[in-house]
Amino acid sequence: MIRSKDDGLRDTALSDKELNRALASTWSAQPGLWGALSTVDHKVIGRRYIATAFVFLALGGVLSLLMRLQLSQPEARFIGPDRYNQIFTMHGSNMMFLFAVPVMQAMAVYLVPLMVGTRNIAFPRLNAFSYWIYVAGGLLLWTAFIVDTGPDVGWFAYVPLSGPQYGVGKRADIWAQMITFTEVSALAIAVEIVVTVFKQRGPGMSLDRIPLFVWSMLVTSFLIILAMPAIMIASTSLILDRLVGTHFFNPAEGGDVLLWQHLFWFFGHPEVYIIFLPAVGMVSTIVATFTRRPVFGYLAMVMALVATGVLAFGLWVHHMFVAGLPRLGESFFTASSMAIAVPAGLQIFCWLATIWAGKPIFKTPFLFVIGFIVIFVIGGLTGVMVASVPFDTQVHDTYFVVAHFHYVLVGGAVFPLLGAIYYWFPKLTGKMMSETLGRWVFGLIFVGFNLTFFPMHILGLQGMPRRIYTYQPEMPWAGLNMFISLSAIVLAAGFLLFFVDAIRSARSGAVASANPWGASTLEWATASPPQPYNFARPPVVGSREPLWAEATALPVAAGLRVDRRELLITGVVEGIPEARESSVGNSIWPLWAALATTLTLVWSIFSPWAVVWGSIPVAVSLIGWFWPKGVLEDES
Amino acid sequence: MRAARVIALWVATTACGCSGNQSALAPSGAPALHIEHLIIGIVALCAVIWLAVMVVLAGALWRKPQEDDAEIRQRRLTVVVTAAVAATAILIAGMTVASFYTTRSIGLPERASITITVRAQQWWWQVFYASSGQTSGFQTANEIHTPVGQDVHVRLESADVIHSFWIPSLAGKQDLVPGRSNSLLLRAEKPGVYRGQCAEFCGLQHSHMAVMVIAEAPADYARWIASQSADAIPTTGADVAAGRAAFLAKPCAACHTIRGTAANGTTGPDLTHVGSRQTIAAGLVETTRGSMAAWIADPQTLKPGNNMPMVPLTSIELQDISAYMESLK
Amino acid sequence: MKREMSYSNGAFAAAAIALGIASGALGWLGESRELRLDPPVASDLDGFRLMPNGISGTPPESYFALGKPYETDAYNLSQGKRLYAWFGCSACHGDGRGGAGPSFLDGWWLYGPEIVSIVASVRDGRPHGMPAFRDRMTTEQIWQLAGYVQTIGAYKPKVAAPSRNDDKQTRPAENRGPAKILFDQGPAGVHPDQGPSP
């Protein structure tokens, strides 16, 4: 099966020491700034991606504190309506498009190749391109906000408020183009993950031996590939309406206002699962490691992931229950929205069964999983509530919904993510985070979160709508709002402590061993942090928990060349080796391509001709990117 | 002008704009009552489910692992997890059915005998009452009167962007979508003032877009209809007459209508009976002569970004116009 | 570890450069909205100077100090567009192509294209039927409306110009430079009642 026509230097011919040296020289990036800009190492890009996403988390958190300041008193005048509308729009857009989705994909960029035992992600240059495009989108949005041109139409940007007539100036255009940036970067990673999981798994890693985190990222990537085109069509139509004068959303010329909502939520609801499913994978991984046993019901868990992914596309209308759609149709979407509680419940029950059967070790990552279960179950149950049409007509667009989705997104995704950072930090940096501070971080965030968001359920039922920059003193909301604003300080302190811990540990934390938690998956089979080539010899997988099954040494495959970047291609189902494939080397062209794309997209906010003239630099950079240079990696 | 601004701020922060009920948990209308029963039922059920999960979680965390047979344990867990999933399916099916029957019991608005058209604008509510029998049709703003115990069909339209009409104590919300016409059923079971406010983000002053529904006995309602459909009553008093003249001479009349005078602007709310309304500026402040003056003097401080301009007036003119506004009962 | 540091330094440097470029590009289009015009500024704006023949003149210093908000600011232009509809301008001027009143889109300005001329036309009226809006609009509204009228008739499209309305489309939207497009067809006839240019 393995081809042997070429006769380069193979790893079989070398001792371990020589092999490591040879692989390091083949796989390393150049030193200095040029090397940093041209590297295609999934670990470097993944780390960068994660760090950038957490910067956006911090910025979004600052925005939420500003909102809480303004809402702490009735008719407060800290922030005017114009700035407030920008702030809540920025908070939502930033958290969804610049933090939640990218950070989950970034974890996958770093972890999936390691967990499946390969040396780099599929399409490494696309990966580098994806990061630069993501940063450009984030800079566009934040620069606009700093100069008082931030979008002010909500992260959902409903037309006609965001349309040409009522969305004044360039604000909504910047929002729509920021979407384009983040969609391109998200789609790129989704494709890379799918190909990496399907074709680059270590020998012997059949479908039923794939770690649950990798399964969750595979399903997530398919969701991204299927959902993102809807928002791309929507945001592009919006830009065309605004800049070129098309009429997609203009009822007077045969367009339709609700078309936007259908397109947006056809993306927007799966988006929730794009954020949530990776967290499910993280929870499964952490639960298994800290109960010292495989997650109960592997097949059921995988089926639940797939079922959630399928159902995610069948319930977007529950965001539109009060838009005036036919009642019978709405009842169908009530049923489908409720149905998603079945796979979600199944996953919860499987984790509980795993914990029940095992002996939990209460380290910080596991604390975050416990917090996740406590909070996410509330979020899931309030989700069942808003799935009911009559119930939703009272709480839709109120603080009840604000509470609900923060319970789902913070409880369901950020808690597992923080647990995952504590868990994988040794692999990311080679250092351990502080266990003492970790407990404080968990305690502050858990208490602060519940005190901040639980009262919002009550506010919503008491009639407080969302997205209001102030409320009148005669409304009975002032007390709870002040309480929430004070609680938000506790929550913010927790996050601040987390950042302190992460930065301090990265500099001077305790040095981590290869497998400090005694975990079972392949990323722990190599050094912390891994060498640029990940594994000196590709591991061979004989079970679902390779590091637990092979207590002493992992079997490895041999025969890869070391004088060029080469990795193993295996079959989709059984993971049987099929070929040796070259992996591309470092290149600066993804950065140029990203800059050319950025130029085109930003310019297009001001003139439609940018699409014509901007295509020239984009074409030049792509030609440079793919120009054959006759190096070994270009062959085969 | 600074003094006016200070007064405006003071009025905004202290005046009690006649709150009324605005809570899904204090229902007084038939649809809201049906929904409240559903809310209480589902929340209670969900609370029980959450507690059960928490008990199991606590048990799992604190339980001492027993060295029992792995195979038997695996089989037991399988049975328990399967049963839990089945229970989940049954419970959500039950909630779906309950939700469906609540929708059915609320009924359809089209059968109601009274139809009121509400047309939302940035950032106030234009309300149309059709002519019936002896009374001619009229329009008013930010205040809807309904007879107690009767079904009222509210037709919902929008003049600009999407808004949402929501009177929590009477019924669930419904969007007002440009290019479409939606319907909502209101039925107040007891007299009272029910406050609501726009629930779909609609721009700068989404926060200050309240509407009052005043449910009253059918006789009172009929009297109100009769008085509203009449033209503005010519009232006496020097300041009122001066205010009337100033109103017609200044830009006010270009945007506002006062039936029975030359003022026939259509951009702003109809002011024919503005003095009879409980609040002004879409529920912003209670209707008094002082709050009128504060609002007219500096609308952009009280409600920044709204479409009422700051018209330069002398303090005498301001007093007179406020007196005139107050007199328009 | 040393290499790690240089990576992150490189990333930071790149980010800083990119941020600098992006700020520069966006800096000039900052869209701060002034929702409340201070009364002293409003009365100052009302005191612009006009040439004796009613054509051309200079706005007050404060107008330039504010950055010519009624010609360059998207929010004011958009408010002007609303006022154009609300105050019935289209009754005589149609969608800008004229009717009973002159067209704004034919490339001809009877009183010149300066904003003060347009403000004066709106505020004080003009012979042959243009009414004075002095008593019907505030100073701020008059300037907003004048800025909008100047924009639809501008020879070059403005970046800040409003786009189309959610209505039936009858002519190219303001941001497409309708006057530029329609000017190419030659001047449309001035209404016969309009008389000779003063």
Side-chain angles (χ1 to χ4, degrees), chain A residues 74-75 77 81-82 85 88 152-154 156 158-161 166 251 256-258 261 293 296-297 321-325 327-328 331 334-335 338-342 345-346 348-350 352-353 355-360 362 366 370 373-375 377-378 381 384-385 387-398 458 460-475 477, chain B residues 9 12-19 22-25 32 35 38-39 42-43 46-47 49-50 53-54 56-57 59-61 63 65 73-74 77-78 81 84-85 88-89 92 95-96 99-100 102-103 106 108 122 159-162 164 166-175 177-180 182 195 197-208 210 282-285 301-304:
Chain A
E75 293 288 355
R77 283 172 186 265
D82 188 42
N85 290 349
F88 86 70
D152 57 353
V153 291
F156 46 93
Y158 276 8
V159 292
L161 189 63
Y166 300 99
D256 186 28
V257 173
L258 288 187
Q261 296 185 22
R293 54 193 308 114
F296 177 85
F321 277 162
V322 300
L325 301 175
R327 286 278 166 228
L328 186 65
S331 295
T334 293
M338 295 243 183
I340 208 152
V342 174
L346 172 62
I348 297 275
F349 301 141
C350 285
L352 288 175
I355 299 171
W356 186 275
K359 188 174 174 357
F362 290 91
F366 192 70
I370 298 171
I373 295 177
V374 174
I375 293 173
V377 172
I378 297 180
L381 290 169
V384 167
M385 297 176 196
S388 153
V389 174
F391 197 122
D392 188 60
T393 59
Q394 283 288 23
V395 296
H396 179 80
D397 271 337
T398 69
I458 301 162
L461 288 169
Q462 285 183 339
M464 180 167 166
R466 289 169 78 177
R467 299 161 189 145
I468 53 174
Y469 79 97
T470 193
Y471 47 91
Q472 281 145 287
E474 64 264 25
M475 305 311 295
W477 306 327
Chain B
L9 277 171
T13 46
T14 55
C16 165
C18 210
S19 59
Q22 181 174 327
S23 173
L25 301 177
I35 297 174
L38 182 75
I39 290 176
I42 292 187
V43 169
C46 287
I49 295 172
W50 182 76
V53 173
M54 289 307 109
V56 175
L57 174 65
L61 290 173
R63 167 180 178 274
R73 187 179 57 200
Q74 188 76 6
L77 284 176
T78 309
V81 167
V85 171
T88 308
I92 61 166
M95 286 190 266
T96 306
S99 162
F100 181 71
T102 305
T103 305
I106 288 172
L108 294 172
Q122 285 178 324
D160 37 48
V161 301
I162 301 176
S164 194
W166 184 36
I167 315 292
S169 300
L170 294 182
K173 62 181 73 60
Q174 186 76 51
D175 286 356
V177 184
R180 286 174 179 247
N182 282 339
R195 190 182 190 272
Q197 75 185 89
C198 178
E200 181 62 86
F201 177 62
C202 57
L204 283 169
Q205 282 303 329
H206 168 56
S207 313
H208 291 133
L284 187 69
V285 282
T301 295
L302 282 182
K303 196 170 166 180

Side-chain angles (χ1 to χ4, degrees), chain A residues 405-555:
Chain A
F405 71 72
H406 280 94
Y407 266 79
V408 170
L409 291 174
V410 178
V414 176
F415 268 71
L417 176 71
L418 294 178
I421 294 290
Y422 272 90
Y423 178 69
W424 276 299
F425 199 78
K427 191 54 60 181
L428 286 158
T429 63
K431 306 286 177 59
M432 304 294 289
M433 284 177 85
S434 159
E435 193 62 31
T436 322
L437 282 182
R439 282 163 195 269
W440 274 101
V441 169
F442 169 73
L444 283 171
I445 293 184
F446 183 79
V447 172
F449 173 83
N450 284 295
L451 293 181
T452 304
F453 289 100
F454 195 83
M456 291 186 186
H457 291 111
I458 301 162
L459 277 179
L461 288 169
Q462 285 183 339
M464 180 167 166
R466 289 169 78 177
R467 299 161 189 145
I468 53 174
Y469 79 97
T470 193
Y471 47 91
Q472 281 145 287
E474 64 264 25
M475 305 311 295
W477 306 327
L480 273 181
N481 270 300
M482 178 55 95
F483 178 79
I484 289 170
S485 294
L486 294 174
S487 305
I489 297 172
V490 179
L491 182 56
F495 274 101
L496 187 65
L497 195 60
F498 167 78
F499 282 108
V500 168
D501 190 13
I503 292 168
R504 220 187 54 147
S505 302
R507 289 185 169 184
S508 55
V511 174
S513 65
N515 188 2
W517 310 113
S520 68
T521 39
L522 283 181
E523 78 273 26
W524 303 104
T526 181
S528 300
Q531 295 298 316
Y533 46 88
N534 289 357
F535 301 93
R537 294 190 168 90
V540 173
V541 180
S543 88
R544 209 174 276 162
E545 283 82 26
L547 299 201
W548 287 348
E550 317 287 340
T552 47
L554 215 53

Side-chain angles (χ1 to χ4, degrees), chain C residues 97-115:
Chain C
R97 282 182 297 187
S103 166
F104 303 130
L105 304 180
D106 57 6
W108 295 89
W109 290 97
L110 292 173
Y111 305 97
E114 287 92 345
I115 186 127

Side-chain angles (χ1 to χ4, degrees), chain A residues 257-280:
Chain A
V257 173
L258 288 187
L259 172 64
W260 169 268
Q261 296 185 22
H262 283 293
L263 286 172
F264 186 83
W265 291 117
F266 189 80
F267 143 81
H269 200 83
E271 165 97 341
V272 175
Y273 295 98
I274 287 169
I275 295 165
F276 172 62
L277 289 185
V280 167

Side-chain angles (χ1 to χ4, degrees), chain A residues 101-112:
Chain A
V101 174
V103 81
M104 294 301 178
Q105 291 196 301
M107 295 295 281
V109 164
Y110 190 91
L111 290 171
V112 164

Side-chain angles (χ1 to χ4, degrees), chain A residues 23-332:
Chain A
L23 282 171
S25 80
T26 305
W27 285 86
S28 291
Q30 292 161 272
L33 179 63
W34 190 260
L37 296 177
S38 63
T39 183
V40 294
D41 184 342
H42 76 98
K43 296 179 292 300
V44 176
I45 293 169
R47 266 201 301 266
R48 231 176 241 173
Y49 233 123
I50 295 168
T52 314
F54 271 93
V55 168
F56 286 125
L57 171 71
L59 290 170
V62 171
L63 294 181
S64 62
L65 288 178
L66 289 173
M67 288 191 280
R68 283 322 315 173
L69 174 69
Q70 167 67 14
L71 290 177
S72 59
Q73 295 166 24
E75 293 288 355
R77 283 172 186 265
F78 300 109
I79 300 167
D82 188 42
R83 208 47 163 159
Y84 188 90
N85 290 349
Q86 289 184 48
I87 288 174
F88 86 70
T89 303
M90 286 291 292
H91 175 76
S93 307
N94 175 76
M95 290 305 201
M96 296 301 267
F97 293 107
L98 298 177
F99 167 66
V101 174
V103 81
M104 294 301 178
Q105 291 196 301
M107 295 295 281
V109 164
Y110 190 91
L111 290 171
V112 164
L114 288 166
M115 287 180 116
V116 300
T118 187
R119 282 182 170 159
N120 203 350
I121 201 165
F123 314 127
R125 289 182 183 174
L126 186 63
N127 198 27
F129 175 78
S130 158
Y131 175 73
W132 298 122
I133 282 287
Y134 159 66
V135 173
L139 282 177
L140 170 71
L141 187 69
W142 275 94
T143 314
F145 176 70
I146 288 163
V147 300
D148 212 358
T149 313
D152 57 353
V153 291
W155 88 280
F156 46 93
Y158 276 8
V159 292
L161 189 63
S162 65
Q165 188 170 358
Y166 300 99
V168 178
K170 294 293 173 200
R171 296 174 170 192
D173 300 310
I174 283 163
W175 179 86
Q177 251 355 1
M178 180 277 293
I179 299 292
T180 313
F181 280 97
T182 53
E183 304 309 293
V184 168
S185 66
L187 279 169
I189 296 183
V191 170
E192 294 157 24
I193 297 290
V194 169
V195 175
T196 307
V197 174
F198 275 168
K199 296 305 291 181
Q200 289 184 210
R201 300 199 306 274
M205 189 183 275
S206 51
L207 284 182
D208 59 351
R209 290 176 186 161
I210 297 178
L212 280 171
F213 176 74
V214 175
W215 263 118
S216 74
M217 283 314 308
L218 180 67
V219 175
T220 303
S221 298
F222 273 109
L223 283 186
I224 290 174
I225 291 170
L226 295 172
M228 294 284 177
I231 184 72
M232 269 188 131
I233 288 171
S235 67
T236 307
S237 310
L238 179 63
I239 287 226
L240 288 172
D241 262 19
R242 292 178 51 88
L243 299 174
V244 190
T246 55
H247 297 274
F248 291 104
F249 308 118
N250 175 6
E253 288 278 7
D256 186 28
V257 173
L258 288 187
L259 172 64
W260 169 268
Q261 296 185 22
H262 283 293
L263 286 172
F264 186 83
W265 291 117
F266 189 80
F267 143 81
H269 200 83
E271 165 97 341
V272 175
Y273 295 98
I274 287 169
I275 295 165
F276 172 62
L277 289 185
V280 167
M282 292 167 179
V283 170
S284 294
T285 312
I286 295 171
V287 164
T289 299
F290 293 94
T291 57
R292 288 288 179 275
R293 54 193 308 114
V295 170
F296 177 85
Y298 176 89
L299 181 63
M301 291 295 279
V302 173
M303 285 302 155
L305 286 170
V306 175
T308 309
V310 172
L311 282 174
F313 286 97
L315 30 81
W316 78 94
V317 169
H318 74 214
H319 296 268
M320 301 165 63
F321 277 162
V322 300
L325 301 175
R327 286 278 166 228
L328 186 65
E330 291 187 346
S331 295
F332 168 79

Side-chain angles (χ1 to χ4, degrees), chain A residues 546-620:
Chain A
L547 299 201
W548 287 348
E550 317 287 340
T552 47
L554 215 53
V556 291
L560 287 178
R561 281 173 62 162
V562 298
D563 55 347
R564 66 176 215 184
R565 296 186 175 195
E566 213 170 60
L567 36 79
L568 268 180
I569 298 296
T570 53
V572 174
V573 179
E574 294 293 336
I576 297 167
E578 288 175 343
R580 291 180 293 126
E581 176 67 51
S582 64
S583 179
V584 293
N586 300 323
S587 168
I588 195 70
W589 284 103
L591 175 59
W592 298 144
L595 286 173
T597 312
T598 303
L599 174 77
T600 307
L601 291 180
V602 176
W603 187 4
S604 73
I605 294 175
F606 301 97
S607 164
W609 287 101
V611 180
V612 177
W613 302 120
S615 66
I616 295 171
V618 171
V620 168

